[in-house]
């Protein structure tokens, strides 16, 4: 599948066995693929995939690694596909086609499913994708009528994971400026929210009725991407408490990149912070599940061959027993 204006980035750290299933799937993608590997030793089989841009930066911390990788991307769009996940090529094509046709869109997502590799591979809908249906309907009905404050309110009242959606390069990079300007915004805890906040300030966030991502959930294997100094036991609520009453860097970001006046930008930023403090109980995610499941049935039927191909690779490549 050829998508000239998209770069796929596969970050990996001390879990290189996943590349034996991820890279064969991506072999059908005719575009740039960057494997950003910060493992201590280089991937011994990298030479088997001459079409990838393999970059070995041993020990490099996740966020600097991803930022430096994003900066080198030469295409308009990019997508972050962690080594244990699958972003379906059929979903990527649909998102890129939509973004090409709608230049005001800064990011485009779709359905997110979890796969659990235990006795067999089971696909489930968890909290990361429960509200996707709400945003699919909004994309179809409110695309031209929603203001930026309304957009951010909808996204954070019905939160989904946008980190691994298709993003314009500028929308992928700019959230890092929030971290540059305010070290109190601990990236490990709220980076996903900052990506969505930062991208939404630059343009519409669309969601399509396509299966975009199969996210890995292997309880025996977790990545050690984050060093201990970045795994501080700080809650999202505590981080939100540190944001000044005027919204601080969040308000300034909105004023700079979306053109909002100071009063409106402050209101939007402080509502965002209040939403972080409030948190997201499981019942809130469950609210969106029925609509999402109804839409998901149709999406899965149209992409079944692509889904089955990914599941076949997952079943055929299990991780070694942990030490």
């Amino acid at each position: 599948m050829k998508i000239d204006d998209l770069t796929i980035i596969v970050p990996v750290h001390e879990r290189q066995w996943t590349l034996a299933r991820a890279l064969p799937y991506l072999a059908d993608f005719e575009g740039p693929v960057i494997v950003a590997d910060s493992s201590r030793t280089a991937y011994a089989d990298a030479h088997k995939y001459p079409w990838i841009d393999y970059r070995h930066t041993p020990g490099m911390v996740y966020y600097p690694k991803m930022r430096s990788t994003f900066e080198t991307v030469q295409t308009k769009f990019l997508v972050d596909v962690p080594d244990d996940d699958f972003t379906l090529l059929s979903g990527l094509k649909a998102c890129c086609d939509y973004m090409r046709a709608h230049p005001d869109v800064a990011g485009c997502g779709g359905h997110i499913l979890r796969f659990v590799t235990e006795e067999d591979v089971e696909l489930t809908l968890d909290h990361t994708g429960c509200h996707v249906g709400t945003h699919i309907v909004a994309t179809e009905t409110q695309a031209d009528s929603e203001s930026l404050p309304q957009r951010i309110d909808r996204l954070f009242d019905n939160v989904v994971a946008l980190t691994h959606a298709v993003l314009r390069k500028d929308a992928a990079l700019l959230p890092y400026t929030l971290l540059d300007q305010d070290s109190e915004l601990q990236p490990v805890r709220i980076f996903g929210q900052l990506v969505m906040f930062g991208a939404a300030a630059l343009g519409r966030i669309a969601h399509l009725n396509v299966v975009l991502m199969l996210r890995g959930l292997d309880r025996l294997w977790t990545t050690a991407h984050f060093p201990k100094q970045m795994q501080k036991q700080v809650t999202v609520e505590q981080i939100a408490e540190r944001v000044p009453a005027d919204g601080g860097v969040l308000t300034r970001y909105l004023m700079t990149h979306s053109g909002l006046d100071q009063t409106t930008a402050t209101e939007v930023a402080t509502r965002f912070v209040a939403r972080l403090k409030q948190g997201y109980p499981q019942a809130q995610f469950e609210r969106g599940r029925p609509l999402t499941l109804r839409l998901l049935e149709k999406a899965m039927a149209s992409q079944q061959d692509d889904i089955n191909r990914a599941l076949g690779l997952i079943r055929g490549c299990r991780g070694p027993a942990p030490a």
Side-chain angles (χ1 to χ4, degrees):
M1 183 176 293
K2 192 173 182 63
I3 309 177
D4 289 330
D5 45 7
L6 174 70
T7 297
I8 295 176
I9 299 165
V10 182
V12 61
H13 182 84
E14 304 297 355
R15 193 172 50 185
Q16 295 167 332
W17 64 266
T18 55
L19 298 177
R21 67 189 189 194
L23 296 181
Y25 176 79
L26 293 177
D28 287 342
F29 175 68
E30 298 180 43
V33 176
I34 300 172
V35 176
D37 186 359
S38 51
S39 306
R40 284 167 291 180
T41 58
Y43 180 44
D45 290 336
H47 66 281
K48 296 181 180 179
Y49 309 97
W51 43 270
I52 67 171
D53 179 357
Y54 178 73
R55 304 180 185 181
H56 185 223
T57 54
M60 192 172 188
V61 175
Y62 180 77
Y63 293 104
K65 177 177 78 170
M66 297 309 293
R67 182 178 191 164
S68 63
T69 304
F70 289 172
E71 287 171 343
T72 66
V73 166
Q74 300 296 308
T75 56
K76 184 175 183 178
F77 308 130
L78 61 82
V79 63
D80 171 8
V81 185
D83 61 286
D84 61 331
D85 297 344
F86 283 77
T87 299
L88 297 182
L89 295 180
S90 53
L92 288 175
K93 183 180 185 306
C95 288
C96 289
D97 287 348
Y98 186 89
M99 293 177 75
R100 232 176 274 119
H102 301 85
D104 61 321
V105 172
C108 187
H111 291 288
I112 303 165
L113 294 173
R114 283 281 195 182
F115 66 84
V116 181
T117 54
E118 292 182 349
E119 291 183 6
D120 194 7
V121 180
E122 177 187 359
L123 290 178
T124 62
L125 178 67
D126 73 356
H127 68 282
T128 57
C130 274
H131 283 306
V132 167
T134 300
H135 301 302
I136 291 171
V137 171
T139 298
E140 294 173 348
T141 60
Q142 300 172 227
D144 300 320
S145 61
E146 203 174 41
S147 68
L148 173 57
Q150 289 171 331
R151 178 193 309 153
I152 289 181
D153 285 346
R154 171 174 57 82
L155 289 169
F156 287 99
D157 283 343
N158 307 276
V159 71
V160 295
L162 190 72
T163 317
H164 308 308
V166 179
L167 297 172
R168 287 195 327 237
K169 179 180 175 179
D170 61 331
L173 274 170
L174 270 175
Y176 285 93
T177 66
L178 292 167
L179 306 180
D180 291 343
Q181 298 172 54
D182 191 338
S183 61
E184 295 289 1
L185 297 174
Q186 293 286 339
V188 172
R189 291 290 182 177
I190 65 168
F191 188 71
Q193 291 96 320
L194 289 179
V195 168
M196 188 148 63
F197 181 89
L202 300 177
R204 281 200 298 122
I205 305 300
H207 282 82
L208 308 182
N209 194 26
V210 296
V211 180
L212 183 61
M213 174 160 280
L214 308 182
R215 298 189 68 189
L217 179 61
D218 191 327
R219 295 184 178 90
L220 297 178
W221 278 88
T222 57
T223 184
H225 241 132
F226 304 110
K228 290 182 179 179
Q229 66 266 27
M230 295 182 71
Q231 293 177 336
K232 298 177 182 178
Q233 297 304 307
V234 180
T235 67
V236 171
E237 293 77 11
Q238 288 171 325
I239 296 168
E241 288 286 353
R242 298 171 180 174
V243 178
D246 64 358
V249 65
L250 300 173
T251 295
R252 295 192 295 274
Y253 181 94
L254 290 174
M255 292 173 63
T256 300
H257 298 294
S258 67
L260 292 182
D261 62 80
Q262 184 170 358
T263 299
T264 305
T266 300
E267 290 173 355
V268 172
T270 53
R271 280 203 304 274
F272 166 66
V273 172
R275 198 69 191 78
L276 292 181
K277 291 179 183 177
Q278 181 181 333
Y280 295 94
Q282 185 62 33
Q284 180 141 14
F285 290 109
E286 292 302 317
R287 183 187 68 199
R289 183 183 292 271
L291 172 60
T292 299
L293 285 174
R294 288 198 298 273
L295 294 170
L296 178 61
E297 184 177 4
K298 180 179 179 181
M300 290 186 70
S302 67
Q303 294 172 265
Q304 198 61 61
D305 289 346
D306 201 1
I307 293 169
N308 287 342
R309 181 163 178 266
L311 291 179
L313 287 165
I314 294 166
R315 291 188 177 103
C317 181
R318 302 297 185 93

